[in-house]
Amino acid sequence: MNVNPGGAQSAPLLKEKAYAAIKQAIMDEVFPPGGFLSEKKLIDFLGMSKTPIKSALDRLESEGFVTVSPKQGVLIRELSVSKARDMFELREAIECFVCARVAGRLRPQALEALRVSLARQREAAEAGDEIAFTREDITFHTLLCASAGNTEFETLMQNYQAHLYRFTLGVLRRVPDRMRAALDDHEAIVDLLADGEAEEATERMRAHLDFGKKVLTG
């Protein structure tokens, strides 16, 4: 990636660009968990000076994505087992509740949005595109939470999207054919919700999330 600083760009804009680019590279595992980055590598990657990069790294460190060491450089933090467990348990509480609440009561617009997401997941799975599938997976679960009409559920999903993304991609890359299996789960959940099968939809969601938790936490 080459970000041209240019004289017209302000320092805050460069800081935001550096932050967004490094964060996305971490999320997509271009910079893999457990790896180290040097200042020079980041300068070459971004094509900008170290001042906005330092600001971006300070922000990413506060968010738990990196650890900055004066001697070792920048460590990309591994996916935390405890964080994964906590996140999946939070998701299970919210998303199973949502399934029970919206079964048989999904608005047409919400159902259509979920089916559009399923179609995009299918395309990504058929293409073997883990990055595209991960992005759409997060969209799907966020849409589902939004369908309950509880803005706090949706806000929680939005706030944790970056970590959810890393966990989802981590599961996909650890389990062969997981994209297809995840898509099967998603399609079944939507069909059950549309048919008003609250108990079955809730249990399918619980099993779906439990699988991911077990992969990441052992």
Side-chain angles (χ1 to χ4, degrees):
M1 176 176 183
N2 187 20
V3 179
N4 182 3
Q9 295 189 30
S10 66
L13 180 58
L14 287 175
K15 291 176 185 177
E16 288 299 321
K17 284 190 172 183
Y19 167 79
I22 298 170
K23 183 176 181 179
Q24 193 62 53
I26 292 171
M27 289 166 59
D28 291 343
E29 296 187 352
V30 174
F31 300 150
F36 283 91
L37 297 172
S38 65
E39 183 179 274
K40 181 179 184 305
K41 182 172 183 177
L42 286 172
I43 289 172
D44 291 343
F45 178 72
L46 295 168
M48 62 175 66
S49 70
K50 61 184 176 182
T51 300
I53 293 174
K54 183 181 184 306
S55 175
L57 290 174
D58 288 344
R59 185 173 169 186
L60 289 165
E61 185 169 34
S62 72
E63 294 176 356
F65 289 97
V66 303
T67 298
V68 180
S69 167
K71 294 183 178 180
Q72 294 179 300
V74 181
L75 169 67
I76 308 303
R77 293 181 62 174
E78 300 272 4
L79 297 175
S80 163
V81 170
S82 60
K83 180 81 167 180
R85 183 181 298 109
D86 290 348
M87 285 297 304
F88 274 97
E89 288 176 358
L90 176 64
R91 289 183 63 189
E92 184 174 317
I94 293 173
E95 296 189 54
C96 289
F97 175 86
V98 168
C99 285
R101 182 169 182 171
V102 305
R105 296 193 290 271
L106 274 173
R107 290 173 298 171
Q109 301 95 318
L111 181 58
E112 176 61 21
L114 288 169
R115 294 208 185 279
V116 168
S117 178
L118 290 175
R120 290 174 178 161
Q121 290 172 55
R122 195 175 303 113
E123 289 177 5
E126 290 172 353
D129 189 336
E130 294 171 330
I131 298 298
F133 189 93
T134 298
R135 289 173 180 162
E136 202 55 47
D137 181 286
I138 302 304
T139 296
F140 173 84
H141 285 277
T142 302
L143 285 170
L144 181 60
C145 287
S147 73
N150 185 315
T151 56
E152 294 303 318
F153 291 168
E154 187 176 3
T155 298
L156 274 172
M157 291 295 287
Q158 294 286 354
N159 289 343
Y160 287 116
Q161 277 199 353
H163 291 292
L164 293 176
Y165 185 102
R166 291 189 77 195
F167 292 141
T168 300
L169 185 60
V171 173
L172 294 182
R173 289 185 167 170
R174 286 167 171 78
V175 181
D177 299 322
R178 180 56 189 166
M179 282 190 287
R180 183 68 252 180
L183 176 58
D184 288 345
D185 283 345
H186 292 165
E187 290 176 331
I189 289 165
V190 171
D191 287 343
L192 289 165
L193 292 175
D195 292 340
E197 301 290 347
E199 185 175 347
E200 290 85 346
T202 300
E203 288 310 308
R204 187 69 179 256
M205 177 62 79
R206 194 184 313 280
H208 176 72
L209 295 173
D210 277 348
F211 181 89
K213 181 173 70 173
K214 288 174 182 174
V215 169
L216 293 175
T217 64

